[in-house]
Amino acid sequence: MSRRISQRKKRRLGVVVPLASMGDIAFLLIIFFIITSNFTKEPPVELELARSVDVEVLQTPRILVVIDEDNGYWVNGEARDSAEQIEWEVLALLDGLEKPEQRVVHLKVDRRATKSVYEPVINAIAKAGGVIGAIGEEGSPAP
């Protein structure tokens, strides 16, 4: 009788860890991080930005408004026709955000744009409740 017991103790079942589902989990995590990431959509235009010796680094923008050299308006990479459209879109994008640091709207203006073009956009962002973060390049101002 003791002999049978010792034979049973020697037999052990191997533990099998299913690794097939690990790939699924990794794939789902990658998709989760892509969806929750904030990718700013740059418009398909080249800009000559204003220069200043006093430039600070800003966080990645939630909202990016661009005025190109042809006086075209862009919000998060999509063309807009007027400052009024920008105001309504910024208002919608800022809905529910209370803290000032969450309400920052990055504004890129081509340095050849005139005041009559960018001033209505600045007013529109302000009316929508945005905090303007002007984007420029570091260096000596151009004459």
Side-chain angles (χ1 to χ4, degrees), residues 29-119:
L29 283 172
I30 289 170
I31 290 182
F32 169 77
F33 287 117
I34 289 173
I35 290 172
T36 59
S37 296
N38 183 13
F39 295 109
T40 304
K41 298 176 184 167
E42 292 276 345
V45 295
E46 289 196 28
L47 300 174
E48 187 176 327
L49 298 174
R51 294 175 174 244
S52 174
V53 291
D54 299 319
V55 176
E56 295 179 24
V57 176
L58 297 174
Q59 296 178 8
T60 304
R62 177 184 306 266
I63 304 169
L64 175 64
V65 177
V66 175
I67 301 173
D68 63 23
E69 69 177 309
D70 299 323
N71 299 328
Y73 299 133
W74 302 82
V75 178
N76 288 345
E78 295 184 26
R80 296 293 174 256
D81 295 326
S82 67
E84 185 177 84
Q85 283 184 345
I86 293 172
E87 178 184 346
W88 287 106
E89 186 163 355
V90 169
L91 186 64
L93 291 169
L94 293 176
D95 187 39
L97 302 175
E98 299 295 326
K99 297 179 183 175
E101 61 269 12
Q102 294 175 321
R103 301 182 69 79
V104 174
V105 177
H106 288 197
L107 177 62
K108 280 186 175 182
V109 180
D110 190 276
R111 66 181 289 252
R112 295 164 287 207
T114 61
K115 182 180 176 182
S116 63
V117 173
Y118 64 78
E119 189 173 43

